[in-house]
């Protein structure tokens, strides 16, 4: 009996060490900028760097745009698939999984080929158009996570009956979608949104090849030229991701507290 | 002209016809139940009235207006669902006022109407709560209030009590009927529970395999079933296999014992097999009065059901279940006792299409 209990604990400890030790080492190294003592100098340098503020701000803005476009694309699609086209679900799921199979570099080369300045739609010829292209690229990258989160949320409620109840009370499609369905999958949408934010903040390939001043390429640049700041940046990136995950849990817990009694 | 008219309604999903030639005229303020087993087409018919399903053919008119092609949100039809379907993100007051808000009614009017509806369902204090904070019965009453708040022309109830426990079902069905009478609203109630349909309806439509088997008052449906299906589905029925002696005089033998029916056995020839039905409550263990039928048999089973004792008597190939009131002073017969059962001639039901076994 005791032996059976020890096994899982050993596995858990080894797993935790595997993840925690490099993180602690990175954190410890990021504090060593001042010779002979620990300090937050590396963090101070990073936060004071105008490029950090600019790239982080740029990526945050694009993450926000990605979330808005993603929600507007995914929620009505997933809703319609659940309500009227359940037979299409495997096809839609397959399509939304494609970004996990096709590397970002392949996607971005496709974009460059299709939308370069010599093409019929020269989006890479203008900064704002390239930002738009990058946003669409991010929407594609985040699609598997956003779709699954929203689809799970929709499956947890009785979409069809709620829709019919609203219809019988005189509601049209926009009212049903925005006042009945969306508020009831709010937690799922927020989960998808936080995951999207975490993906966009750390994304390198697309932003670098489209030559946009995003946080990912900045991380790479600092990593190639400085000693302690990259470690500080890695910890900051982890903190941002964890904050997103924490928010998902927090929002999820709030929803569970308010969940209907069985 | 009836308030709600359904003419030659038909619904097919591909090659499968689920509702066939459904015709019904419902008067204003009438409470009609669609009764039948699962898959008989009762819910599909209701959903066509609500606008959630498009008929393959036929016409639906509400208050003289053809609504066959109208969208569900343009029919002014209130619907109560089996699963309550309250909006989880809204408070009870917001749920009840939803339809009025969608219709763009002023806030003051919505507030007054919501209070009125919550008072009607005897839950005036729950406006600020969320659906999950109420019991199943309370949620269904709120769903009823929400459907009624918009003053619908027709109230549709799709097995609204199926998810509730037995005691609440009984009290809530009486409450639904009382509210419907009070408001004088036309209502269609879908159920597979015959007791529910018999107890609250003005008329019942019994359905089987997409067809209307019989339309009538609960009294007519129970006492004068027109088909074998209606007779067997509504209430408990003893079906006896016998042999025709004299079709014109309604005389048959059951396991060699002669009995007579008040009805003729149209078209049957002497010696042919026939089926005759009897309600358990039409049979008694007392000696027959003059002109009544009697059969002698042996007690096969005694079931104590509280106020009623159900006794099963076997005659050979046939057996009859009969109900007697529980009298504490009289013990029910023991198993294996020889008894005589009696029943009136007019208690025997000769069913359409059931003459030949």
């Amino acid at each position: 009996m005791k032996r059976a209990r020890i096994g899982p604990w050993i596995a858990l400890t080894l797993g935790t060490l595997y993840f925690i030790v490099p993180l602690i080492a990175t954190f410890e190294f990021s504090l060593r900028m001042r010779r002979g003592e620990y300090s937050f100098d590396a963090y101070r340098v990073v936060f004071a760097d105008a490029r950090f503020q600019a790239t982080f701000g740029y990526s945050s803005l694009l993450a926000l745009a990605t979330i808005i476009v993603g929600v507007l694309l995914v929620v009505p699609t997933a809703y319609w698939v659940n309500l009227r086209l359940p037979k299409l679900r495997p096809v839609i799921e397959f399509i939304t999984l494609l970004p996990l199979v096709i590397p970002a570099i392949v996607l971005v080369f496709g974009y460059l080929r299709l939308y370069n300045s010599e093409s019929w739609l020269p989006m890479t010829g203008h900064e704002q158009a390239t930002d738009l292209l990058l946003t669409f690229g991010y929407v594609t990258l985040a699609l598997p996570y956003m779709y699954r989160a929203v689809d799970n949320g929709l499956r947890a409620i009785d979409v069809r009956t709620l829709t019919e109840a609203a219809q019988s009370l005189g509601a049209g499609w926009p009212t049903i979608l925005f006042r009945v369905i969306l508020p009831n999958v709010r937690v799922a949408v927020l989960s998808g949104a936080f995951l999207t934010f975490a993906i966009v903040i750390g994304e390198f390939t697309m932003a670098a090849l489209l030559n946009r001043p995003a946080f990912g390429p900045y991380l790479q640049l600092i990593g190639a030229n400085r000693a302690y700041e990259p470690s500080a940046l890695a910890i900051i990136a982890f903190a941002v991701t964890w904050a997103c995950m924490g928010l998902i849990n927090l929002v999820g817990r709030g929803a569970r507290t308010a969940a209907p009694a069985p | 002209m009836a308030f709600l008219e359904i003419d030659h309604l038909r619904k097919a999903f591909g090659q499968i016809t689920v509702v066939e030639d459904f015709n019904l005229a419902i008067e204003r303020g009438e409470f009609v139940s669609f009764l039948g087993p699962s898959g008989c087409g009762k819910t599909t018919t209701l959903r066509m009235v609500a606008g959630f399903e498009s008929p393959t053919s036929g016409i639906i008119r509400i208050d003289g207006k053809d609504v066959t092609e109208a969208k569900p949100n343009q029919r002014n039809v209130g619907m109560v669902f089996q699963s309550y379907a309250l909006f989880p993100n809204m408070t009870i007051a917001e749920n009840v006022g939803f339809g009025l808000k969608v219709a763009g009614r002023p806030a003051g009017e919505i507030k007054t109407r919501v209070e009125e509806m919550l008072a009607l369902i005897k839950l005036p204090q729950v406006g600020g709560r969320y659906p999950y904070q109420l019991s199943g019965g309370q949620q269904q009453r709120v769903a009823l209030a929400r459907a009624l708040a918009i003053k619908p022309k027709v109230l549709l109830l799709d097995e609204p009590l199926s998810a509730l426990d037995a005691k609440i079902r009984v009290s809530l069905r009486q409450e639904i009927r009382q509210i419907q009478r009070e408001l004088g609203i036309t209502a269609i109630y879908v159920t597979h529970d015959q007791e529910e349909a018999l107890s609250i309806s003005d008329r019942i439509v019994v359905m089987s395999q997409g067809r209307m088997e019989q339309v009538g008052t609960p009294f007519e449906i129970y006492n004068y079933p027109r088909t074998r299906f209606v007779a067997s589905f509504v209430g408990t029925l003893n079906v006896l296999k016998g042999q025709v002696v004299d079709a014109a005089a309604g005389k048959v033998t059951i396991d060699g014992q002669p009995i007579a029916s008040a009805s003729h056995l149209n078209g049957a020839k002497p010696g042919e097999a026939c089926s005759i039905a009897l309600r358990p409550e039409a049979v008694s263990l007392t000696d027959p009065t003059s002109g009544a039928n009697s059969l002698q048999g042996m007690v096969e089973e005694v079931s104590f059901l509280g106020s009623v004792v159900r006794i099963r008597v076997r005659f050979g190939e046939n057996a009859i279940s009969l109900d007697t009131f529980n009298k504490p002073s009289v013990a029910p017969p023991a198993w294996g006792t020889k008894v005589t059962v009696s029943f009136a001639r007019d208690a025997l039901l000769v069913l359409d299409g059931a003459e030949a076994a």
Side-chain angles (χ1 to χ4, degrees), chain A residues 92-243:
Chain A
I92 302 288
E93 280 187 353
F94 176 75
I95 292 170
T96 59
L97 278 176
L98 283 177
L100 291 180
V101 185
I102 301 168
I105 196 157
V106 175
L107 280 177
V108 80
F109 271 125
Y111 285 170
L112 286 170
R113 196 172 171 80
L114 273 174
Y115 306 115
N116 64 61
S117 51
E118 304 293 314
S119 74
W120 61 279
L121 189 60
M123 289 184 82
T124 56
H126 307 274
E127 283 189 357
Q128 276 138 353
T130 313
D131 289 343
L132 198 64
L133 190 62
L134 187 57
T135 304
F136 292 151
Y138 286 158
V139 170
T140 311
L141 284 186
L143 199 58
Y145 310 99
M146 181 61 96
Y147 184 83
R148 247 140 219 84
V150 172
D151 190 46
N152 284 340
L154 285 169
R155 285 195 208 197
I157 59 170
D158 189 349
V159 171
R160 186 172 147 172
T161 313
L162 288 180
T163 301
E164 289 177 352
Q167 279 182 311
S168 72
L169 294 166
W173 290 115
T175 309
I176 294 169
L177 199 59
F178 290 103
R179 278 168 60 184
V180 176
I181 301 300
L182 201 55
N184 285 305
V185 292
R186 181 180 55 97
V187 176
V189 169
L190 283 173
S191 298
F194 292 135
L195 283 170
T196 303
F197 189 84
I199 289 165
V200 172
I201 285 295
E203 206 283 330
F204 166 76
T205 316
M206 283 190 161
L209 289 174
L210 288 173
N211 196 27
R212 299 307 298 140
F215 190 58
Y218 170 74
L219 278 177
Q220 188 276 334
L221 184 75
I222 296 293
N225 298 302
R226 308 290 275 269
Y228 301 101
E229 289 86 341
S231 301
L233 275 170
I235 296 297
I236 291 166
F238 265 113
V240 170
T241 311
W242 285 354

Side-chain angles (χ1 to χ4, degrees), chain B residues 162-235:
Chain B
S162 300
L164 304 171
D165 61 55
K167 264 195 172 177
I168 293 172
R169 270 211 304 270
V170 173
S171 65
L172 197 49
R173 78 185 183 210
Q174 287 161 350
E175 205 173 319
I176 289 172
R177 180 59 162 147
Q178 190 195 329
I179 289 170
Q180 181 269 335
R181 274 206 180 113
E182 210 173 305
L183 302 178
I185 192 168
T186 311
I188 302 179
Y189 189 98
V190 162
T191 180
H192 61 264
D193 184 333
Q194 39 141 332
E195 190 190 314
E196 214 166 272
L198 290 169
S199 65
I200 59 171
S201 316
D202 289 320
R203 278 193 301 159
I204 298 173
V205 179
V206 184
M207 295 180 70
S208 167
Q209 296 180 326
R211 282 179 286 108
M212 298 170 81
E213 290 278 334
Q214 189 175 346
V215 183
T217 62
F219 183 83
E220 288 165 351
I221 296 284
Y222 189 83
N223 292 309
Y224 306 108
R226 279 202 213 120
T227 66
R228 175 186 281 230
F229 174 81
V230 176
S232 60
F233 188 76
V234 182

Side-chain angles (χ1 to χ4, degrees), chain B residues 61-132:
Chain B
R61 283 190 207 91
I62 298 175
D63 202 8
K65 191 181 165 196
D66 185 347
V67 296
T68 317
E69 300 299 326
K71 289 177 182 168
N73 58 349
Q74 293 164 351
R75 295 190 181 206
N76 195 16
V77 164
M79 181 103 175
V80 179
F81 299 84
Q82 184 181 341
S83 57
Y84 325 136
L86 295 179
F87 306 130
N89 58 308
M90 296 180 199
T91 62
I92 298 305
E94 285 167 343
N95 263 282
V96 176
F98 181 82
L100 299 168
K101 202 170 178 185
V102 167
R105 310 307 304 169
E109 187 189 321
I110 296 175
K111 191 171 177 285
T112 311
R113 182 74 178 152
V114 167
E115 283 168 2
E116 209 177 293
M117 287 294 104
L118 291 179
L120 184 74
I121 57 163
K122 299 184 183 75
L123 290 172
Q125 74 290 1
V126 301
R129 295 195 207 160
Y130 281 89
Y132 73 90

